[in-house]
Amino acid sequence: MSSAPIAPLAGIVAVAALSVATVGVFRRGGGPARARFLGHRGVSAGLCWLLFVGAVALLAPLLAPYRPSRQLDIVALADHAPSWQYLLGTDLLSRDLLSRLLYGARVSLGIGALAMAVAATIGAFVGVVSGYFQRSVDSVLMRIVDLGLSIPRTFVILVIVALAERVSLGGLVLVLGLTGWFGTSRLVRAEVLAIRSSGFVTSARALGATPWRIVWRDIVPNATAPLIVSAALGVGNVILLEAALSFLGAGVQAPQASWGNMIADGRDQLVTAPWTTLFPGLAILLAVMALNAVGDGLRDALDPRGATP
């Protein structure tokens, strides 16, 4: 699976997540919720930065001056410092860092968005089923969640990657998604347990609505708040995890560019060519800070305790 299909899919996921978040803000408090969200420190800057990085990622083939794997001149342009011709410089293999950074945004953001979409979908399903049906279903599912939370995620991923020898981008998305839903399921379950005993759910049961109808029409729309916040914060965590795996050689493989393996490529030139690690490191830092700011803003906006009486 190349970066080409990941980029548009990531765009679709980002638009869908933004739409769900907006609906959640409207449902949970209307004007006051929107005011709390947009008034949260850092939200506006975070949203602008994420929109900019998302647009750059989608338009990378048009914006990048060179192909990300093209070696310009292995002798004369290896570790070339930033200049007017090469704005971010080149790496040890004389590849243009600006081009690799733009294409790397497609891969890193695409993996983060798609893996979190997988994790949020599974976590929401398990949390809703566990919280609504309870008893033996809840007991079995929560023991599975406890087991998943008790095993270090990075260790599990490294074992899977080692056994598979080489993991494609699609496989990496699935591995990151399938190992990242346990915490989300607990958050959704707690919300469902609170909603389950509410008056409108009791009325729906009294009117003869089937359990799955109640779940789909009454439970799920009102349990989106923790899911939205968890997804917004989780994308940043997945980006960091993918960068760490790529740095260790267990994530995105060459010649594919990602922010993590760009740092790995330049780690031996930290003194002689610091720009080879500085720019991808800044890209990761700013993206994760923006995602965390937006996630914090959504958490405050969707928290009913923050609403004015």
Side-chain angles (χ1 to χ4, degrees):
M1 186 175 183
S2 65
S3 63
I6 278 188
L9 283 174
I12 293 171
V13 170
V15 171
L18 184 60
S19 301
V20 172
T22 304
V23 171
V25 170
F26 274 77
R27 289 181 63 87
R28 277 305 181 105
R34 292 195 299 274
R36 290 197 301 273
F37 175 64
L38 296 175
H40 192 279
R41 184 171 55 185
V43 164
S44 297
L47 282 174
C48 290
W49 181 252
L50 290 177
L51 289 173
F52 170 75
V53 174
V56 163
L58 290 171
L59 299 175
L62 301 177
L63 299 176
Y66 306 98
R67 295 192 310 274
S69 59
R70 179 181 173 185
Q71 295 177 282
L72 302 175
D73 189 332
I74 194 64
V75 176
L77 294 177
D79 286 337
H80 191 283
S83 63
W84 287 112
Q85 185 175 3
Y86 309 106
L87 294 179
L88 301 186
T90 64
D91 63 9
L92 182 63
L93 299 177
S94 74
R95 296 173 297 191
D96 180 62
L97 282 179
L98 176 59
S99 301
R100 290 183 63 76
L101 197 71
L102 295 177
Y103 276 89
R106 306 183 91 193
V107 175
S108 294
L109 295 179
I111 289 175
L114 294 174
M116 198 59 228
V118 173
T121 301
I122 298 174
F125 177 78
V126 172
V128 168
V129 171
S130 177
Y132 184 79
F133 293 99
Q134 298 184 322
R135 297 182 181 178
S136 59
V137 174
D138 181 41
S139 179
V140 171
L141 291 177
M142 286 301 102
R143 297 299 76 76
I144 295 174
V145 170
D146 290 340
L147 178 62
L149 291 174
S150 67
I151 304 174
R153 184 181 181 186
T154 305
F155 172 75
V156 174
I157 294 173
L158 288 174
V159 169
I160 294 173
V161 171
L163 292 175
E165 295 185 359
R166 184 180 180 88
V167 179
S168 64
L169 290 187
L172 185 60
V173 166
L174 288 177
V175 169
L176 291 171
L178 293 174
T179 58
W181 58 269
F182 305 106
T184 300
S185 66
R186 278 196 173 280
L187 292 174
V188 174
R189 173 181 176 270
E191 190 77 4
V192 172
L193 287 174
I195 297 171
R196 189 178 187 275
S197 58
S198 59
F200 63 89
V201 174
T202 303
S203 300
R205 287 200 203 96
L207 292 173
T210 62
W212 284 109
R213 183 180 176 85
I214 294 173
V215 165
W216 183 249
R217 296 195 60 182
D218 299 314
I219 300 292
V220 171
N222 290 281
T224 55
L227 182 63
I228 292 169
V229 176
S230 177
L233 296 174
V235 173
N237 292 331
V238 174
I239 289 175
L240 287 174
L241 183 55
E242 179 276 320
L245 292 172
S246 297
F247 182 83
L248 295 173
V252 179
Q253 302 295 319
Q256 192 75 257
S258 79
W259 291 341
N261 65 20
M262 286 179 68
I263 296 176
D265 291 340
R267 61 186 170 186
D268 295 329
Q269 291 82 42
L270 284 174
V271 177
T272 58
W275 56 87
T276 57
T277 54
L278 174 64
F279 294 118
L282 281 176
I284 295 172
L285 174 65
L286 293 175
V288 173
M289 287 180 63
L291 286 163
N292 287 343
V294 173
D296 287 341
L298 286 170
R299 180 182 58 199
D300 291 347
L302 297 174
D303 187 354
R305 292 171 297 181
T308 56

